[in-house]
Amino acid sequence: MALTGLEIFKLLPKSNCKKCGKPTCLAFAMALAQKKAKLEECPEASEEAKSALAEASAPPISLVKFGTGDNEVHIGQETVMFRHEEKFYNPTVIAVSISDKLADDALKERIDAVNSLQFERVGTHLQVGAVAVINDSGSPDTFASAAGTVKKASPLAMILVSESPDALGAATAKVADVRPLLASAASDTAEAVAKIGKENNCPVVAQADSVEGLAELTGKIKAAGVEEIVLSLKARSLKDELYGLSRIRAAALKKTFRPLGYPTVSFVLDGNGEAQAAKGISLICKYSSIVVVESVERHAILPMLTAVMNIFTDPQKPVQVEAKVYRVGEPGSDSPILMTTNFSLTYYTVESDAEASRVPCYILVVDTEGTSVLTAYSGDKLNEKIVAEAMKKNEVDGLVRHHKLIIPGYVAVMSGKLEEETGWEIAVGPRESSMLPKYLQEVA
Ligand code: SF4
């Protein structure tokens, strides 16, 4: 059970030294009880207190890692039911299945297809995070051989999926150094699979057909020495799975119910690519930490990655690009200079429309704390002084001979003052970025 603030307070030094950043030990104790502080932030806590407080300071949903190096995957450690309460931390991992029944050439082709599922979206690189090798053959040797081939041909983190402890054991022996996630341990295989996990330092998936069954199963796996556990609810329908995952999340966060305080994995292996994407996105919203799909169709994978990207951004912080001068093509001293804000969606829309014009140009990006043009203007984050300052800071004077700045049509109203402030000629560009190609071709 979690400790109350007062119970925690009794274990602290009570010196009010403020080294933790809180004014008193009591304030720190209250923050710790609410999961708003970490025990490590009190350098004065005794070893005795640390061990007594371990329970209170442990995250309500454990962190689980698998894979290695740059492709190590982190899941769990979430602290809220709803994104707007704070933010979600470790993005859902999209994993793609690979059957061990595929013949050599088909297996390699499939691995290449999975590796190539990479995208650029508003300046961010998106890709699937794991590959799930499925023991469709039922043979431990075939499974181990497929896992070995995947390890050689893909840098992605690996999930080994089999109901057979023998098959999991054989495959793990082949790829233990890349620290795969072992899926799954059921009630009758918990001890055997946990043993493989413990001996090879690999996390283990607990799979059951009810929330209560999962709570019981994690106890067995933990008792066998495995700390990193992932939950898989075998539900009859998507509705049941979403309901079950929501119950798990609520039990972990609201009741600090440790047997369910683990990240989750969902398998979406049926239906066409569109159906898998639709189910996958529902599960990303509530509350799968890993979604394993069968489709390698780009039009099915990109919407899921986009959903992850959107849901796991901090709602308090708009996605921003660096405020500076960007070059489109190879602009020279006669090229146009456009001005926009550092809200990333605004910037990348302007950049792609400027690119489409095939007119080399500069884009001066002004820091408006990640807000769009109109929002920034109405919040006084975009005015003649701020733009003039950005021009000075980025030395735009030295870039071109013409001293003419193109501003977005939506802020035409600031053109007069901006002209006075900078001494530059201010041209009012189109309101919509989509009109930029035509505009630039005409003014260039
Ligand atoms: S650092 Fe520790 S001892 Fe110092 S005020 Fe904070 S909780 Fe108290």
Side-chain angles (χ1 to χ4, degrees):
M1 285 292 289
L3 300 179
T4 65
L6 281 177
E7 285 166 335
I8 295 170
F9 174 64
K10 286 180 196 160
L11 297 162
L12 292 173
K14 302 182 198 67
S15 62
N16 298 335
C17 72
K18 301 186 177 59
K19 287 181 189 166
C20 57
K22 297 280 185 288
T24 61
C25 292
L26 182 60
F28 180 76
M30 293 302 176
L32 192 58
Q34 292 164 18
K35 318 284 180 212
K36 289 180 180 163
K38 294 196 176 99
L39 184 55
E40 307 86 82
E41 288 161 8
C42 169
E44 303 299 315
S46 66
E47 287 308 314
E48 207 177 307
K50 279 183 193 165
S51 94
L53 288 172
E55 171 81 359
S57 61
I61 297 178
S62 304
L63 174 69
V64 172
K65 301 177 192 174
F66 63 101
T68 49
D70 291 345
N71 292 291
E72 185 177 75
V73 164
H74 293 200
I75 50 172
Q77 249 183 350
E78 301 303 335
T79 55
V80 289
M81 292 294 290
F82 304 105
R83 176 177 173 263
H84 63 263
E85 293 173 315
E86 188 189 343
K87 67 172 190 170
F88 293 159
Y89 284 89
N90 284 309
T92 301
V93 172
I94 305 301
V96 179
S97 66
I98 291 186
S99 171
D100 71 345
K101 266 179 144 177
L102 292 173
D104 284 355
D105 287 351
L107 181 60
K108 285 184 185 127
E109 214 172 285
R110 175 89 180 169
I111 298 168
D112 288 346
V114 176
N115 289 341
S116 72
L117 291 169
Q118 303 192 25
F119 308 83
E120 284 296 315
R121 185 176 178 273
V122 286
T124 305
H125 181 77
L126 305 176
Q127 68 176 107
V128 300
V131 51
V133 187
I134 314 257
N135 183 213
D136 289 324
S137 70
S139 152
D141 290 346
T142 307
F143 189 43
S145 163
T149 305
V150 170
K151 181 183 126 178
K152 276 192 208 132
S154 176
L156 295 171
M158 198 185 304
I159 306 170
L160 296 174
V161 184
S162 176
E163 290 177 357
S164 152
D166 287 347
L168 283 174
T172 305
K174 201 112 183 180
V175 299
D177 57 324
V178 295
R179 206 159 182 264
L181 171 64
L182 310 185
S184 303
S187 60
D188 56 340
T189 57
E191 279 175 17
V193 177
K195 187 165 180 278
I196 300 165
K198 182 163 191 279
E199 285 173 0
N200 294 281
N201 187 28
C202 294
V204 166
V205 174
Q207 188 169 64
D209 56 12
S210 70
V211 172
E212 291 71 21
L214 280 174
E216 202 178 308
L217 192 51
T218 58
K220 278 191 198 171
I221 296 170
K222 197 161 185 239
V226 175
E227 291 291 331
E228 290 183 272
I229 300 172
V230 178
L231 308 176
S232 167
L233 182 62
K234 256 181 134 176
R236 277 170 304 180
S237 65
L238 176 64
K239 180 181 157 201
D240 287 351
E241 185 162 5
L242 292 170
Y243 180 61
L245 292 178
S246 301
R247 278 184 63 205
I248 290 170
R249 179 84 151 217
L253 295 185
K254 293 185 183 296
K255 311 237 183 260
T256 322
F257 184 59
R258 297 288 180 204
L260 293 175
Y262 299 101
T264 59
V265 57
S266 298
F267 293 89
V268 184
L269 303 174
D270 297 328
N272 61 22
E274 290 84 346
Q276 290 179 37
K279 277 188 187 174
I281 289 169
S282 300
L283 290 159
I284 290 162
C285 294
K286 290 193 180 298
Y287 285 105
S288 279
S289 315
I290 307 171
V291 174
V292 182
V293 295
E294 181 273 335
S295 177
V296 285
E297 292 170 296
R298 297 177 75 78
H299 69 268
I301 300 295
L302 181 57
M304 288 187 276
L305 293 173
T306 304
V308 172
M309 182 185 181
N310 288 334
I311 290 165
F312 283 83
T313 51
D314 186 340
Q316 318 295 331
K317 287 190 199 153
V319 186
Q320 306 178 18
V321 294
E322 189 185 348
K324 63 175 191 177
V325 173
Y326 291 81
R327 286 167 166 74
V328 176
E330 290 179 12
S333 56
D334 293 320
S335 300
I337 301 190
L338 312 169
M339 182 274 284
T340 190
T341 72
N342 71 330
F343 177 42
S344 86
L345 197 56
T346 300
Y347 169 73
Y348 283 106
T349 309
V350 170
E351 189 213 37
S352 102
D353 289 326
E355 240 172 40
S357 75
R358 300 187 181 278
V359 176
C361 61
Y362 298 98
I363 303 177
L364 169 67
V365 170
V366 179
D367 183 359
T368 57
E369 297 170 26
T371 52
S372 62
V373 171
L374 266 186
T375 311
Y377 181 72
S378 36
D380 206 26
K381 289 175 182 156
L382 183 68
N383 59 36
E384 69 282 0
K385 293 205 181 324
I386 291 170
V387 177
E389 185 56 36
M391 289 170 71
K392 202 168 147 194
K393 187 175 160 205
N394 289 284
E395 300 174 343
V396 292
D397 253 336
L399 293 175
V400 286
R401 290 184 296 208
H402 53 64
H403 287 196
K404 178 175 166 186
L405 181 72
I406 301 168
I407 64 170
Y410 277 119
V411 287
V413 65
M414 68 188 277
S415 61
K417 283 188 179 172
L418 189 53
E419 234 162 39
E420 279 171 27
E421 188 72 32
T422 60
W424 278 44
E425 181 189 342
I426 303 301
V428 176
R431 285 178 155 229
E432 299 300 334
S433 169
S434 57
M435 299 304 291
L436 262 183
K438 187 166 178 284
Y439 176 85
L440 284 173
Q441 278 159 8
E442 282 169 3
V443 299

